[in-house]
Amino acid sequence: MGAALWNVASGRKIADLPGYGVSGLDFSPDGTLLAVGSEDGGAILWDPATHREVLQLETGEKQRWTVEFSRDGSLLAVWGGGQQTVLWDVARRRRFGRLPGGCAAFSPDGKRLATCEGVRIRIWALSNGKEINPAPAPGSPIKCLAPSPDGTLLAVGQGDGALRLWEAPSGRQVRAQPAHKGPVASLAFSPDGSTIATSGWDGLVLIWDAATGKELSRHEGTGGGIQGLAFTAEGDSVIWGGRDGVIRVWEPSKGKGVLNLAGQRGEASSIALTPDRAVRFSTGGGSLHAGGLDARKVLHSWPSRFASLLAMGPDGSLLAAAGDYTQPVIHIWETASGEEVQSLPSPGPSALCLALSPDARTLAASGEKGELLLFDVATKGQRGLEGHEGVVRCLAFDPAGTWLASGSDDATGLLWKMGPPPEEAGGAPTVEELDALWDDLASADGGRAQASMRRLASHGEKAIAFMRTRFPQAQPEAT
């Protein structure tokens, strides 16, 4: 099966271009050429105006080939699963060079080309074909990540125990250092961004100076391993969960634990803190628990079979929970009332990771088959993000909500620029639907009223115009 040309304005098919197993498409910047990658050994250049073949680019290997033009259209990169990139001089219609690695991307100025080789990202100067500043391989799959409070840095924990710090969104690596003997399980920045806490499968909680990478303190032994990890809003304490079901609070400055919260059945596998210390959430043994750090006791519990994932918005008003293989659903709870305000379809049989945006309007979720989805919490609208070649294990929004970071088993971390929340699958709301939402605002069911409020807010100008019809306008007094 080949490619097809379509008129975007009319939706009419213009022509069919013969070929076999199309695996990549790219127009030249001036639109005079179309490159088509295929599975039968390379790529073909077509003239979109005449629908005629211009040149066959043979690579000599039968595999899926992807194509990309440089910004000025002078070069074409063709790469496949064989971990090589072939460059073609478009004007001279001849091979320009061959570089190791695939997943090629040109720099905006066309002077450099990035390729990936295994777990390495390599940058090449196209003027001489030499690698620029060769960097060591990033190591192993990314297990956890967290943005700094100001959004300028991204901390990454990996399966080989390494802790890496990157600039966001430039992607420049600031520092790489060994941290744990075994995979890094979780990490978190302090509220002021000066320190980083990491936990590992080796049973250690370590505190690092974010600027220098120096180890400041450590805590050993947590009842069979450490699961979740978070700083309190004041930054003076670190809280984590253990596989023994106990939540521990530790003050690094004093080098000692100050509080243990027991009462969980099973593992305390995930933790999310509200800003005011009023509650903390963790999962274990088939229920969600809310406990006060100051009250030193469990305050609330909700049935939630195997809810091993939690995500909370920065203001603490909403909590997302998932991880139940018997119910592929993501539940959204209002923390103050304990009411469930929304349920979303889980990506695949079970979600692997969750993250709520700072405004609590968007939920990011990954699945066990490599899915990565964005949901509008109010409307259930969704869209997929494609870029990773492995399962996504960790997600985090920056504090401003301008980008989403994702880490994967493919040993890559990606930054996604965030736009408005996904549109509702059913399109713009009808007048009848807006009337129903208006009626629900007065519902005695607090959860239903909250859901209606969020859904109305998600419709922006349409909701504002509707609300104006429901409120009489004040008339100026006669003078």
Side-chain angles (χ1 to χ4, degrees):
M1 185 175 180
L5 292 175
W6 298 81
N7 184 302
V8 178
S10 66
R12 183 177 59 87
K13 182 187 289 187
I14 299 172
D16 288 308
L17 305 179
Y20 172 75
V22 174
S23 55
L25 294 169
D26 195 26
F27 277 100
S28 61
D30 61 5
T32 60
L33 292 172
L34 172 66
V36 179
S38 68
E39 299 178 357
D40 60 356
I44 300 175
L45 287 181
W46 295 89
D47 184 329
T50 64
H51 318 150
R52 292 182 178 178
E53 182 180 311
V54 176
L55 181 67
Q56 287 197 8
L57 310 177
E58 298 292 341
T59 59
E61 295 185 36
K62 300 280 187 182
Q63 55 184 315
R64 297 174 62 87
W65 292 93
T66 308
V67 292
E68 181 178 338
F69 280 98
S70 61
R71 294 295 179 92
D72 62 2
S74 63
L75 294 176
L76 177 71
V78 183
W79 70 90
Q83 292 298 298
Q84 64 169 324
T85 297
V86 182
L87 293 174
W88 296 85
D89 186 316
V90 176
R92 295 184 174 89
R93 305 291 197 263
R94 68 182 185 185
R95 184 176 295 177
F96 179 76
R98 187 186 294 263
L99 296 171
C103 308
F106 287 98
S107 63
D109 60 9
K111 295 180 179 180
R112 298 175 300 280
L113 182 77
T115 64
C116 60
E117 185 180 16
V119 295
R120 296 184 64 187
I121 298 174
R122 309 178 72 175
I123 310 295
W124 307 88
L126 294 177
S127 58
N128 55 21
K130 292 184 178 180
E131 187 172 5
I132 302 172
N133 298 327
S140 61
I142 295 173
K143 297 296 185 181
C144 51
L145 47 77
S148 61
D150 62 4
T152 60
L153 296 173
L154 183 68
V156 175
Q158 295 187 271
D160 59 1
L163 171 64
R164 295 177 186 271
L165 210 59
W166 302 81
E167 280 187 351
S170 70
R172 184 183 73 86
Q173 181 172 283
V174 177
R175 185 173 61 251
Q177 62 188 82
H180 292 271
K181 295 179 180 179
V184 180
S186 54
L187 56 83
F189 274 93
S190 61
D192 63 3
S194 63
T195 57
I196 302 172
T198 63
S199 67
W201 289 15
D202 55 7
L204 296 177
V205 174
L206 306 177
I207 308 297
W208 309 87
D209 186 300
T212 65
K214 179 182 177 182
E215 182 183 320
L216 301 178
S217 58
R218 64 170 52 200
H219 183 90
E220 300 183 21
T222 57
I226 300 163
Q227 302 293 85
L229 182 72
F231 275 94
T232 56
E234 301 86 351
D236 58 349
S237 301
V238 180
I239 180 171
W240 68 83
R243 293 179 180 174
D244 56 1
V246 177
I247 304 298
R248 293 170 171 82
V249 183
W250 181 43
E251 292 187 4
S253 61
K254 298 180 181 179
K256 66 177 183 179
V258 295
L259 175 64
N260 287 350
L261 286 172
Q264 297 241 124
R265 292 179 293 113
E267 299 181 0
S269 57
S270 185
I271 290 175
L273 283 169
T274 56
D276 59 3
R277 291 170 58 98
V279 293
R280 61 93 182 133
F281 292 88
S282 60
T283 64
S287 60
L288 296 178
H289 300 277
L293 294 183
D294 298 323
R296 302 194 176 204
K297 64 180 181 180
V298 174
L299 303 178
H300 303 289
S301 292
W302 295 277
S304 184
R305 178 179 172 85
F306 305 125
S308 57
L309 299 174
L310 294 176
M312 183 181 287
D315 66 356
S317 62
L318 292 181
L319 175 74
D324 184 351
Y325 278 86
T326 67
Q327 295 179 347
V329 176
I330 301 170
H331 301 278
I332 310 292
W333 305 81
E334 187 184 56
T335 57
S337 64
E339 296 285 343
E340 183 172 356
V341 296
Q342 188 61 284
S343 61
L344 303 170
S346 177
S350 179
L352 290 181
C353 188
L354 302 175
L356 267 172
S357 63
D359 61 6
R361 293 180 62 191
T362 303
L363 177 77
S366 64
E368 59 184 15
K369 295 185 178 180
E371 308 95 330
L372 178 53
L373 300 178
L374 295 179
F375 292 93
D376 185 307
V377 173
T379 69
K380 295 189 178 184
Q382 63 176 274
R383 67 170 177 262
L385 300 178
E386 296 183 0
H388 285 293
E389 296 181 358
V391 173
V392 175
R393 298 286 182 182
C394 44
L395 296 165
F397 285 94
D398 77 301
T402 56
W403 50 261
L404 170 72
S406 58
S408 168
D409 282 351
D410 61 11
T412 63
L414 297 180
L415 292 180
W416 309 85
K417 187 175 181 179
M418 300 303 297
E423 294 183 359
E424 184 177 8
T430 64
V431 174
E432 291 76 14
E433 289 172 333
L434 289 173
D435 283 334
L437 290 174
W438 173 261
D439 292 339
D440 285 345
L441 288 176
S443 172
D445 184 339
R448 188 173 183 178
Q450 284 284 343
S452 298
M453 186 183 303
R454 290 192 173 89
R455 189 170 177 186
L456 279 170
S458 72
H459 291 304
E461 293 297 330
K462 294 183 180 65
I464 292 174
F466 170 78
M467 296 292 280
R468 283 177 179 151
T469 68
R470 289 291 187 263
F471 291 99
Q473 295 186 0
Q475 300 298 322
E477 295 181 2
T479 57

